[in-house]
Structures are given as C-alpha cells and as structure tokens.
Amino acid sequence: MARHDHRARAVLLDAGGTLFRESPTRYEVYAAAARARGLRVDDEGMKRRMGEAHDLLPREIDGHFRYTEPWFRSFI
C-alpha cells in the first residue's frame, strides 16, 4: 500500500488585488511614463490598451504556461 505525504509543499498567494493594491496603479505609472515621453494617453486609455495587449498574449508557448520563466524566454 502506498503512503501519502499530506504535508504542504508549497503555498501560492494571489497578491495583486487580493492581498494588496498598487498605488498608483501600474497603468497609471505606465501612462505617466508615456506622457513624459510625449505620448498622448490618459490613465483609462492606458488601462484599456494594457488589457487589450494582455488579451493578445498567448496562454502557452512551446508548452510553457503564460508568465513562467520558460514562457518569457520563448516569448522574448
């Protein structure tokens, strides 16, 4: 009979928007950086554009799930 080890091996936390909130938000920071470089974009416009860009990213590349280190290596 197989023995099962029921001890936790890892704890995963969803930090962004769950445990804390960024202030200013990431899209506000990116919008300010874009404006500092002469681009005309407001905070909400940047938020929308960032969402659109995120939606276009592939969930998997070469069998690697989005935002893992191997995914980034393949993406870049």
Side-chain angles (χ1 to χ4, degrees), residues 28-49:
E28 290 169 327
V29 171
Y30 287 18
R35 286 191 297 272
R37 287 159 180 79
L39 298 174
R40 296 179 61 189
V41 62
D42 62 14
D43 294 347
E44 288 303 311
M46 180 59 75
K47 181 179 182 180
R48 184 175 35 79
R49 287 177 176 91

